[in-house]
Amino acid sequence: EKTVVDAILPAAEAARAAADKPLPEALAAILSGAEQGLEASKGLKSQHGKAADFREKTVGLEDTGCAAFRFMVQGFAEAVAK
């Protein structure tokens, strides 16, 4: 449906799979999941919020919620890596 959930779900699956790894490794896996969800969102058309007004025109574009979630996870991963 092209929402932030499209990035959260693969990130959560990655977190579950990396639960026994050290935190920096787990966060790297979670970031990878979020990035996969972000990329997948490009193929969807927006159905909710303001972007829904532009349904077909949103295909090929990143969902902004997915992008924001990815940046948040990236920030956590970078902070922990320091």
Side-chain angles (χ1 to χ4, degrees):
E1 293 186 6
K2 200 164 190 164
T3 68
V4 67
V5 175
D6 297 313
I8 292 173
L9 288 179
E13 291 169 4
R16 191 175 305 116
D20 61 339
K21 304 212 183 225
L23 185 57
E25 251 183 83
L27 283 170
I30 294 166
L31 178 58
S32 178
E35 288 172 340
Q36 290 171 12
L38 175 61
E39 281 301 311
S41 77
K42 291 180 181 180
L44 304 173
K45 73 177 170 183
S46 294
Q47 299 178 21
H48 302 285
K50 292 180 185 179
D53 294 338
F54 303 97
R55 290 182 193 268
E56 297 300 328
K57 293 180 182 178
T58 65
V59 175
L61 303 174
E62 296 175 345
D63 176 69
T64 55
C66 289
F69 180 74
R70 183 221 175 260
F71 284 123
M72 182 182 71
V73 173
Q74 181 180 12
F76 290 146
E78 288 175 359
V80 167
K82 290 184 180 182

